[in-house]
Amino acid sequence: RTNSDTPADSTRARGFGAEGIGLCRTEHMFFEGDRITDMREMILAEDEPTRRKALAKLLPFQRKDFEGIFKAMTGLPVTIRLLDPPLHEFLPNDSKSQNELAKLLGVKPKDVANRVHQLHEANPMLGHRGCRLSITYPEILEMQVTAIVEAAINCKKKKIDCHPEIMIPLVGTVAELSTLRDSALETIEAVKTKKKYTGKLDITIGTMIEIPRAALTANEIAEVAEFFSFGTND
């Protein structure tokens, strides 16, 4: 399988003989054009309704990307990792860029600087990121899973054979995966109901074994994971 985050890369990878996508890093989809502004708006939001409003702007971008990736990989599996990095990585660090962002979003520069400071991770590998982001902000998971499911439904209706695999990132204990798997399943059913889709969606939910605790408790995590990937670089 290949790593791919865009429809164009997926098409190229398939041309090279890829047998599916082993890792689609959804955070890479947020850095293009207007998307990064909407992402930053979501991060700077001070309450859930404002976060959801910003996430609603990102949903069509994600859905379109997933549709393109599924089309390029028709008949092959696509593992999609939900948002993984700490949120401070999406915000500007220098004061000039922070001032520009504040002006763009109509907020005080001090508020942007404070949020960057507040989100900064002392231990970015094990801190507030990955699955823990979705536990704190379940609306992020809901948006991403909604985009995946809507894209899958749209593809199925066009006779495109897609096989999405949802990866919950940076899991350390079975409780984290179990909680978020339940949320993902609820979202999948909610989208199917809303879209009045009664067909079968071949969507599995698993995780990446990438931190020591996950490896040591893999027998427990395996009870609720439908697949494992292994993040060996860490």
Side-chain angles (χ1 to χ4, degrees):
R1 295 199 198 183
T2 185
N3 280 10
S4 177
D5 315 311
T6 67
D9 280 353
S10 302
T11 301
R12 199 172 297 118
R14 183 150 195 173
F16 285 135
E19 297 175 354
I21 294 175
L23 182 62
C24 172
R25 296 157 292 194
T26 54
E27 59 272 8
H28 287 194
M29 298 172 168
F30 295 131
F31 285 104
E32 295 178 28
D34 294 338
R35 303 181 190 194
I36 189 64
T37 304
D38 296 332
M39 185 66 177
R40 287 168 170 174
E41 185 181 337
M42 186 276 291
I43 294 167
L44 293 169
E46 294 182 0
D47 54 49
E48 185 181 329
T50 313
R51 261 193 309 278
R52 285 188 180 276
K53 190 176 174 184
L55 286 165
K57 297 180 190 177
L58 289 167
L59 181 107
F61 293 124
Q62 290 251 279
R63 182 176 58 227
K64 186 180 178 185
D65 281 348
F66 292 140
E67 283 182 33
I69 290 169
F70 294 156
K71 184 179 179 183
M73 285 285 159
T74 183
L76 299 175
V78 176
T79 303
I80 300 163
R81 184 176 70 186
L82 302 185
L83 191 66
D84 181 44
L87 293 180
H88 79 266
E89 291 189 8
F90 295 96
L91 296 174
N93 287 312
D94 62 288
S95 56
K96 182 174 180 285
S97 299
Q98 289 174 2
N99 289 341
E100 288 171 358
L101 178 61
K103 188 176 180 182
L104 186 66
L105 297 179
V107 298
K108 296 174 183 173
K110 183 180 70 174
D111 292 341
V112 176
N114 287 345
R115 189 70 173 138
V116 172
H117 178 72
Q118 182 185 11
L119 289 171
H120 187 76
E121 286 289 345
N123 186 351
M125 254 315 292
L126 295 170
H128 191 212
R129 62 174 293 183
C131 62
R132 290 174 284 288
L133 276 180
S134 291
I135 288 170
T136 308
Y137 307 118
E139 54 272 19
I140 296 177
L141 176 144
E142 287 173 30
M143 182 279 284
Q144 292 200 288
V145 174
T146 296
I148 293 166
V149 178
E150 288 182 353
I153 289 172
N154 291 346
C155 286
K156 293 278 188 184
K157 287 178 176 176
K158 295 174 186 171
K159 307 296 183 198
I160 295 167
D161 182 24
C162 60
H163 302 275
E165 302 176 343
I166 297 173
M167 177 191 284
I168 311 290
L170 222 75
V171 160
T173 70
V174 66
E176 290 171 327
L177 180 60
S178 181
T179 298
L180 296 177
R181 182 175 185 270
D182 288 347
S183 298
L185 289 171
E186 285 172 18
T187 304
I188 290 169
E189 289 307 312
V191 175
K192 285 177 71 175
T193 301
K194 185 180 176 184
K195 295 290 181 182
K196 297 184 173 64
Y197 185 80
T198 55
K200 187 177 184 297
L201 289 180
D202 182 24
I203 300 177
T204 55
I205 301 171
T207 189
M208 187 185 279
I209 304 295
E210 53 188 320
I211 57 175
R213 185 186 294 145
L216 291 168
T217 63
N219 58 320
E220 297 171 11
I221 296 171
E223 295 287 337
V224 293
E226 293 177 273
F227 68 86
F228 279 168
S229 284
F230 294 87
T232 55
N233 59 316
D234 298 314

